[in-house]
Amino acid sequence: GAAFGTKQTESWIELESCITLRNQVSRIFLYVFLSVGIVCTVVGNFLVVLSIAYFKQLQSPTNSFVMSLAVADCLVGLVVMPYSMIRTVEGCWYFGALLCQLHSSLDVMLCTASIFHLSCIAFDRYYAVCNPLVYSLKMSRSRVALLLVICWAVPTLISFGPIMLNLHIAGVDILLPKDVCVFLVNRFYAVMASLVAFYLPMAIMLIAYWKIFKAAKRQARQISAMESQMAAGVGKDSSKKQRHRNTMKRERKAAKTLGIIMGVFLIFWMPFFTVNIVDPFIEYSTEVIVWDIFLWLGYINSSLNPFLYGLFNRSFRRAFLIIYNTHCTSNNVKDIWTFNTVS
């Protein structure tokens, strides 16, 4: 999660209160810039949730994970990012020790849940592309439901449990001012939480995508061979072959989309979790500004996920446009009926 930060300097121990170092212009700029990011996160993810809930065509096992992912990312924008924005801009925490603890717990839980969902989407796509004959068995409703429970239960256990019981700071003898909300953690928690929240899901995504990539290349060769046969005069069952080619094309596009999503995920989360593990072993000497930059890079991943789906998935693009037309034009009934009835 985004609040695994472990930053501290000796001067903080001596401070009785926080000090706002930014000037008025930079504070206004940061508030505007970060507020735009928060609005994009909430609106974009809400559109994904609304699209899947409203249109039956989008209600598939894969999109069950997409919808739950969007819920997690939307909550990041609603309950985590606004408080983090104030803390980043002001350098102070105005909301009390208990809310600081709750904010840290929600930060860890929701960001970890978001990452878990991305690994489940990769796992789902692996079976769809590499083992299509057993896909319906492996990704049954009960299996999808179990994975969704895991996506929410494990992040909750590694966040609220240790944080509310102060297990994450066991052995850390550092006192912080009451108006500073810094999530300080010991070495054990930093390593274990980072492994569970990031490195394990990352490994699952990398393995799944590599297998999907190899399967897509193999399918492309099969399609090429089939087209050569058709060019030689084999015209029987051409409609069936056309459907098969279209299916393979869609699966390759899904693999490409997954690869881009995974690439973005690694770019925006890898810096944070790398420094997160290293920092306790260098006596919490990482600069605060470095933590803030890496923290907000991680938040940006929650902002980008819905736009990635909207950009690369034609069904989601159509759903977004229809939802827009529903509120901005009078031709919504026909569009909604057409979307839900066209397979």
Side-chain angles (χ1 to χ4, degrees), residues 62-287:
T62 302
N63 285 344
S64 297
F65 297 117
V66 174
M67 183 176 185
S68 190
L69 166 67
V71 170
D73 287 336
C74 190
L75 288 174
V76 169
L78 282 173
V79 302
V80 174
M81 292 172 69
Y83 292 99
S84 295
M85 174 180 66
I86 296 172
R87 181 181 61 189
T88 296
V89 176
E90 301 293 338
C92 302
W93 183 259
Y94 302 118
F95 311 105
L98 178 60
L99 195 56
C100 173
Q101 217 171 9
L102 289 173
H103 177 265
S104 297
S105 300
L106 286 168
D107 197 347
V108 175
M109 184 194 78
L110 292 173
C111 291
T112 304
S114 177
I115 293 171
F116 270 42
H117 281 91
L118 290 176
S119 65
C120 280
I121 293 171
F123 182 73
D124 173 85
R125 287 292 86 199
Y126 162 73
Y127 274 112
V129 175
C130 301
N131 295 283
L133 297 179
V134 298
Y135 175 74
S136 59
L137 177 65
K138 294 294 184 179
M139 300 307 296
S140 61
R141 287 188 177 183
S142 58
R143 183 71 60 86
V144 170
L146 175 61
L147 289 173
L148 287 174
V149 169
I150 292 173
C151 283
W152 288 98
V154 174
T156 302
L157 289 175
I158 68 171
S159 57
F160 277 89
I163 294 171
M164 299 308 291
L165 295 175
N166 289 324
L167 299 178
H168 64 299
I169 56 174
V172 179
D173 297 324
I174 297 174
L175 296 177
L176 294 173
K178 293 182 179 180
D179 52 4
V180 172
C181 182
V182 177
F183 189 45
L184 211 63
V185 299
N186 55 41
R187 294 178 179 181
F188 177 80
Y189 184 83
V191 172
M192 294 306 298
S194 296
L195 288 175
V196 173
F198 176 75
Y199 289 101
L200 178 60
M202 180 192 70
I204 293 173
M205 293 172 68
L206 286 172
I207 294 171
Y209 182 67
W210 175 245
K211 290 183 177 294
I212 290 172
F213 177 73
K214 290 196 298 182
K217 288 183 66 177
R218 184 171 61 251
Q219 290 168 357
R221 289 195 297 266
Q222 292 172 350
I223 292 172
S224 178
M226 186 172 60
E227 288 176 341
S228 297
Q229 289 180 351
M230 293 178 66
V234 182
K236 294 182 179 180
D237 297 327
S238 59
S239 61
K240 182 178 180 180
K241 292 177 180 178
Q242 180 65 39
R243 289 196 300 270
H244 181 71
R245 287 205 307 273
N246 291 338
T247 300
M248 295 299 106
K249 183 178 179 180
R250 285 196 298 269
E251 295 298 357
R252 291 202 313 275
K253 185 176 180 181
K256 178 182 176 182
T257 302
L258 177 61
I260 294 173
I261 291 172
M262 189 186 70
V264 170
F265 161 72
L266 292 175
I267 290 170
F268 285 99
W269 273 123
M270 181 70 81
F272 180 89
F273 281 99
T274 300
V275 175
N276 183 66
I277 288 183
V278 171
D279 193 56
F281 294 92
I282 57 174
E283 303 302 325
Y284 310 109
S285 59
T286 305
E287 293 293 332

Side-chain angles (χ1 to χ4, degrees), residues 312-328:
F312 294 110
N313 189 303
R314 184 173 59 182
S315 295
F316 273 109
R317 286 201 302 269
R318 291 179 63 197
F320 293 164
L321 289 174
I322 291 170
I323 290 172
Y324 173 79
N325 289 335
T326 299
H327 295 282
C328 299

Side-chain angles (χ1 to χ4, degrees), residues 55 322 325 329 331-340:
F55 298 110
I322 291 170
N325 289 335
T329 73
N331 298 323
N332 55 307
V333 176
K334 180 180 178 181
D335 289 340
I336 292 172
W337 184 87
T338 301
F339 185 89
N340 279 310

